[in-house]
Amino acid sequence: MNNDFDGDPFADDSSDVETTSLVSLADDDILTNEEKKKAIESWNSGEKSLKKIIEASVGVGMDGRSKKGIAVKKYLATLKVKPVASQDYQKKTDAFVLTEANKEYIRAHSSTSKPLELARELFNNQNLTNLSTESRAVTDFYNSLDPTLRFVKNNDEGAPQEYRPPKTHAQAVARVNRYVLEGLDFNKMSQKEEHMMTALIRHLHVHRLVYMMNEFNSSRDRELFESSLIRYIFDKPDLTEEELDSYMNLCADIVNHTSMQRDLEVLKETRDNAIATDGKVSMAIVEAINNCYSAMDSNLKRQQKSLETLQGKRSERLKNKIRENASIVQLVELWKNETRRLQFIQLAEVRKEKLRDEVKNLDSMDELRFQLWGMGRDEVIDY
Amino acid sequence: MWDEGAQQKIIPVYQDYNVIAKGLKGDLDDKNAKITLIQFLRRNLGFTFELISGMRLLPQQEIVLKSLFARDTALIVAGRGFGKSTIIAMFCCLYPIFYPNSKICLISANFRGARRIFEAAEKMVKGPFAYMLQECFPTEPRRLNDIISWKLENGSEVFALPLSNGEGLRGTRASAVFVDEGLLISQEIQENVIRPFLTAKQNFLEEAQMKEREDELIKAGLITETDRISFPRNKYLVCSSASYDFDYLYKTFQSNIKMITDDKIVRTKDDSTYVVIRSSYESLPKDSFIDMTQINAAKADGGEETDYFKREYQARFTVGGSSYFNMKKVADCTVRAGEFPTTMLRGRKNHQYILTIDPSYSSSKNSDFFAMGVYELVPDSRRIILVHSYGRAGMTLNDHYKYLVYLLTHFNIVWLGIDASGTEFIDSFNESVIAADKGIKLGTLTADLKSDEYIKELRILKNEYNQTTRNIVYPQPFSGDTIRRMNEYLQAGINAEKVWFASLLQVNENAFNNAMRHRPDAQITNKHGKPIDTEEQIYEQDSWIHETQKQLSLIEVKSTALGTMQFDLPSHIKNSTKDDRARRDNYTCMLMAYTASKYYFDMLFTEVEEIQSTFEPFAI
């Protein structure tokens, strides 16, 4: 509905009946034509608040209780216009509509966060409550998702659910961001990062990995394994299957090391208790502690060695790949293609232009600084 | 300033190949792609070098590089830090790729210099992004004692040679000879030894066949004379810093310019083409690779006005006579390459030598040199010839003792002069285990030869001088007056051609072979304290000749507030704190040596009458 008032009550044309009647209706009206005009303009500009219209027409500080304010209200009523007064109830907002990006984010994070947490993260507002429209919209959408994708509170000591690797880029980014500080921004992904995420999804779907993840009895161990693995591989889309296996072994070692650390703490506690109660320690405990230490030590060495091997192999492979790409045969192949050829020529032209500038510069240079005999100015560019 | 000269008439006009390349439509077949690509790369040298090596050339460097490709004879005179050696290394990487079967010979003032350029090229080839360049140089370079070479699969070769008088290099042929530090290589060597490398054409057979075929085609009217394929001609390329105006380099500079600019010369297409470039450090962009810190330090305190700065940084040829010592005379008093005496690792039989020492005990690498000089005596003409030098900064006393023992045992030292303020070196040497092992004990002469009663002191000297017991050490006093007198005496000696510099040992085949056969029986170390072989020692000794001459050229006379004359380095050079800063210690050794030669010759040749005072009785 168009509520704009499109008549002109102040036109000079005396034959305009409505104008005449409007003026006559306001015998006791204290409003000037100018004030009336301002009130109409304010309404037409989209202002719905009575107070604001009064302020715009008769001056700041006036409200609906003042004489002029009442006059404005009456005048607008004559025009069948009803601004919103402060005592009128106003619905604060309509139902919140989620964008596609919001929905993608919720899908990606639904397995790791509750709807309220999602809403707070999504809209970057920690003051949101369960009753906020944004929260309610997120909750509605969250509830519409496949139950298997929704957040399940994990009991640390309980058996974790079946491992679900990420399936979309958004889910993969969410996993990365969970374990890597300042990881990736889903809304500003470069082509390279998208490539990385595609590879990560592929890597996390490897059967051996899923199997290993499901074998963990503790969700803490599983999380440690996943975090280590993602941390290592998320930015290495070029990993071979063998390297991926090695990384999995490395991460398994990391989990084992933590597990041994826990065992060691228990053994130490037992030893301390034994000293406190009996004043001596049994040989078995001492040996167990020593064994634990040596096992941890060899585990660490193994980790270090694996890492060195992995880094060395990969850097060698990448070097070889660059070498393959930067070969003369490759150069000839590129030259054959017209588009590539023109790109080469364009680059060469840029250099040539610099050369031309330099010739001009040297030509005009003082002879104490530079002298050249025996080359043509154009020749030196085109030779 | 850019002068195209009169030779442009015989230079063909080159079309912009990029325009031709742009005209190639659609995808190319293998053969056409290879042909057009190589032409494109050849005509865009800067782009090509960046593409295959990952190193970017400055536009000015590209201009120099193109000039070297375009002309048969090139002379590049540039200031320090301009990157002359780098440009040569770039040339060595690119030229053999574009010209199959080419042979590039690198020559420098010594083998070390040539090797350094070769290694710079090797570093470029083995650079982290030089994948394509590595494809062109697939094998490792071959390193022998007297040659380093690198062969490419297209038949080209780059090799570095030591200088020699030609006997050992006879038969060496190249299609391009690149001479670095041209000012240090004499006219005889350049003209009689190096240039003959270029006398044979590398592709003669192919060229002859092609000419024959072209003749047939021209006869048949299928092509014209202008369509003949031009083969690259042999190149003689020289890079150098500027020299004095009496040096051979300046003559070459002038004659090459004349060959370019003289429009009276009748030129044909077969004539050699020339390019001459002179470039000061000021021609390079401010934000380029040049380190302005050192240049600004050198410019401070009026350093910009000195001949040294003009030559070294501004690449300007300077007049020889403006330093305290006449540098033209110094150059004239250098034994010509190939003649004797050369620098020596052992003294010659039946010859006498003076050894002079300017001690310095600082352990800092940027301190003065502990310098020693060995001078051969020519008693007939009362001349001295510098044949061996030593200069080390920051080394231990033990190193100096060892070297002194080496000199005393390999040269017939008849006089040892040392700065009188440093005679404790002789005392401590006498006490050392090294001297004791060799049974050497040096005795000091007490005659005061600076006193007014010179003849009387000479008599004392004659009495106490004993070569058998090595009572030969004369502590040379240094005072304002003696310094002035010694300098004036040396200046006069140089002007009278009494002070000579030995020729380079490495270019004298016989002397070189002799030195290699009779190697010194001592372990010699370099300035880093690492042992060096005889060959390295030879190169080092040759370089000391130039270094001593350079030190002489830097000496300037100043007067103190008290009126005393000072003979010292220019203040801007003196204030430098770099390890390789200019020094004057070998000059001091020469100063002492020439004065010592006077004392020694006077002692030998002056008849000192014994005054017989007797009492004659008489009658009263």
Side-chain angles (χ1 to χ4, degrees), chain B residues 45 299 403:
Chain B
L45 284 180
K299 276 163 78 174
Y403 209 87

Side-chain angles (χ1 to χ4, degrees), chain A residues 48-51 64 73 82-90:
Chain A
K48 297 290 179 278
S49 161
L50 177 64
K51 188 172 188 303
K73 208 165 30 175
K82 190 176 184 313
V84 179
S86 57
Q87 71 272 19
D88 294 340
Y89 171 74
Q90 256 190 302

Side-chain angles (χ1 to χ4, degrees), chain B residues 323-340:
Chain B
S323 66
Y324 180 72
F325 298 102
N326 185 340
M327 292 314 292
K328 183 174 183 333
K329 281 285 178 193
V330 169
D332 290 345
C333 289
T334 307
V335 181
R336 285 150 63 103
E339 292 179 6
F340 286 94

Side-chain angles (χ1 to χ4, degrees), chain A residues 47-272:
Chain A
E47 185 53 66
K48 297 290 179 278
S49 161
L50 177 64
K51 188 172 188 303
K52 294 273 170 66
I53 293 171
I54 291 168
E55 280 184 345
S57 55
V58 296
V60 179
M62 303 296 246
D63 59 18
R65 294 168 297 182
S66 64
K67 258 188 173 179
K68 286 238 176 187
I70 293 166
V72 170
K73 208 165 30 175
K74 276 184 182 174
Y75 172 65
L76 290 175
T78 59
L79 300 174
K80 295 183 181 158
V81 165
K82 190 176 184 313
V84 179
S86 57
Q87 71 272 19
D88 294 340
Y89 171 74
Q90 256 190 302
K91 195 178 175 184
K92 281 186 181 167
T93 175
D94 293 327
F96 194 88
V97 180
L98 294 172
T99 64
E100 271 312 304
N102 296 153
K103 287 178 184 174
E104 189 60 43
Y105 184 88
I106 296 164
R107 270 191 216 104
H109 294 74
S110 60
S111 61
T112 55
S113 309
K114 292 178 190 174
L116 181 60
E117 290 165 1
L118 283 172
R120 284 175 177 171
E121 281 173 28
L122 190 57
F123 303 107
N124 196 22
N125 182 358
Q126 291 302 314
N127 296 327
L128 292 180
T129 65
N130 278 323
L131 296 175
S132 308
T133 50
E134 292 92 335
S135 305
R136 278 186 281 139
V138 171
T139 309
D140 289 345
F141 182 73
Y142 177 87
N143 290 334
S144 70
L145 292 174
D146 181 351
T148 57
L149 290 177
R150 289 188 222 157
F151 174 76
V152 177
K153 191 181 175 186
N154 279 331
N155 184 351
D156 280 350
E157 297 308 318
Q161 288 195 331
E162 193 179 343
Y163 178 67
R164 285 193 301 269
K167 287 180 179 172
T168 62
H169 278 192
Q171 287 172 350
V173 170
R175 291 281 168 102
V176 171
N177 289 344
R178 192 171 165 192
Y179 302 124
V180 181
L181 187 66
E182 294 178 5
L184 301 167
D185 185 345
F186 179 69
N187 297 318
K188 292 176 187 168
M189 292 251 284
S190 66
Q191 204 175 353
K192 186 185 164 196
E193 285 169 341
E194 282 183 6
H195 178 52
M196 275 158 46
M197 289 305 101
T198 309
L200 180 65
I201 293 168
R202 193 177 67 240
H203 292 151
L204 293 181
H205 274 83
V206 168
H207 181 71
R208 184 184 168 214
L209 175 72
V210 178
Y211 181 82
M212 281 174 84
M213 294 295 266
N214 286 331
E215 283 299 294
F216 284 115
N217 291 325
S218 155
S219 53
R220 276 167 57 189
D221 286 349
R222 176 195 276 189
E223 205 167 306
L224 176 62
F225 183 92
E226 189 186 34
S227 68
S228 308
L229 188 69
I230 288 179
R231 207 158 40 88
Y232 282 130
I233 68 168
F234 86 97
D235 57 350
K236 299 182 181 71
D238 55 290
L239 287 181
T240 61
E241 293 300 320
E242 293 80 11
E243 283 170 343
L244 185 62
D245 272 355
S246 300
Y247 270 115
M248 281 192 260
N249 293 343
L250 173 67
C251 295
D253 271 342
I254 292 171
V255 174
N256 286 341
H257 188 267
T258 320
S259 162
M260 282 188 273
Q261 182 82 44
R262 281 200 297 266
D263 293 347
L264 184 65
E265 291 304 319
V266 173
L267 285 168
K268 277 182 179 173
E269 205 180 323
T270 314
R271 182 194 61 189
D272 294 345

Side-chain angles (χ1 to χ4, degrees), chain B residues 172-190:
Chain B
T172 305
R173 292 290 174 262
S175 52
V177 173
F178 224 127
V179 179
D180 189 31
E181 290 305 335
L183 86 156
L184 299 179
I185 301 174
S186 67
Q187 181 174 0
E188 300 86 59
I189 300 228
Q190 291 202 43

Side-chain angles (χ1 to χ4, degrees), chain B residues 356-599:
Chain B
T356 48
I357 303 174
D358 182 15
S360 163
Y361 306 118
S362 171
S363 58
S364 167
K365 286 281 178 197
N366 65 3
S367 63
D368 285 348
F369 282 145
F370 186 108
M372 294 193 248
V374 179
Y375 296 80
E376 189 172 285
L377 296 173
V378 187
D380 298 343
S381 53
R382 292 175 77 110
R383 284 181 184 172
I384 62 168
I385 305 163
L386 174 62
V387 293
H388 191 101
S389 304
Y390 172 82
R392 297 281 187 270
M395 303 278 277
T396 62
L397 269 180
N398 254 3
D399 294 316
H400 306 317
Y401 292 158
K402 282 179 191 167
Y403 209 87
L404 180 58
V405 167
Y406 157 63
L407 293 178
L408 290 170
T409 51
H410 287 71
F411 291 87
N412 175 27
I413 304 292
V414 295
W415 186 281
L416 197 159
I418 185 168
D419 184 347
S421 60
T423 47
E424 65 273 17
F425 174 73
I426 298 295
D427 299 334
S428 61
F429 171 75
N430 286 335
E431 298 297 322
S432 71
V433 179
I434 297 165
D437 281 351
K438 294 282 177 185
I440 298 172
K441 186 158 183 159
L442 298 168
T444 309
L445 301 166
T446 57
D448 181 12
L449 295 170
K450 72 173 177 20
S451 85
D452 293 337
E453 296 181 26
Y454 182 64
I455 298 296
K456 186 182 162 195
E457 293 297 327
L458 212 53
R459 193 183 303 125
I460 297 170
L461 180 69
K462 272 190 167 186
N463 286 337
E464 59 186 10
Y465 179 85
N466 189 330
Q467 202 182 329
T468 315
T469 59
R470 291 189 197 267
N471 204 35
I472 55 170
V473 179
Y474 176 69
Q476 175 66 51
F478 277 82
S479 64
D481 184 45
T482 52
I483 290 171
R484 182 182 58 77
R485 273 199 285 171
M486 286 162 76
N487 273 288
E488 285 169 359
Y489 187 59
L490 179 62
Q491 189 191 42
I494 288 171
N495 289 341
E497 299 185 359
K498 298 283 184 191
V499 181
W500 281 72
F501 297 85
S503 66
L504 304 187
L505 174 54
Q506 59 184 306
V507 300
N508 189 319
E509 199 80 9
N510 291 337
F512 184 85
N513 291 339
N514 198 30
M516 294 301 280
R517 266 199 306 277
H518 305 287
R519 293 166 192 254
D521 307 324
Q523 183 63 68
I524 311 297
T525 55
N526 63 10
K527 62 180 177 180
H528 305 296
K530 290 184 180 161
I532 51 173
D533 58 15
T534 310
E535 213 173 319
E536 277 289 307
Q537 206 190 345
I538 289 170
Y539 299 140
E540 195 196 353
Q541 282 309 315
D542 284 351
S543 68
W544 277 117
I545 296 291
H546 178 66
E547 171 64 27
T548 310
Q549 289 176 340
K550 193 173 135 193
Q551 290 185 17
L552 281 173
S553 75
L554 290 175
I555 298 301
E556 60 177 33
V557 191
K558 280 182 279 189
S559 182
T560 63
L562 297 172
T564 319
M565 284 175 86
Q566 265 189 343
F567 298 80
D568 210 343
L569 300 174
S571 52
H572 67 278
I573 296 174
K574 203 176 161 187
N575 295 338
S576 170
T577 52
K578 287 176 78 178
D579 288 359
D580 62 348
R581 70 187 177 86
R583 293 165 169 96
R584 53 162 193 165
D585 308 295
N586 298 86
Y587 140 78
T588 311
C589 285
M590 176 168 273
L591 205 61
M592 283 193 281
Y594 191 54
T595 309
S597 72
K598 171 184 158 42
Y599 298 150

Side-chain angles (χ1 to χ4, degrees), chain B residues 337-348:
Chain B
E339 292 179 6
F340 286 94
T342 63
T343 53
M344 296 172 190
L345 304 187
R346 275 176 187 275
R348 295 193 286 181

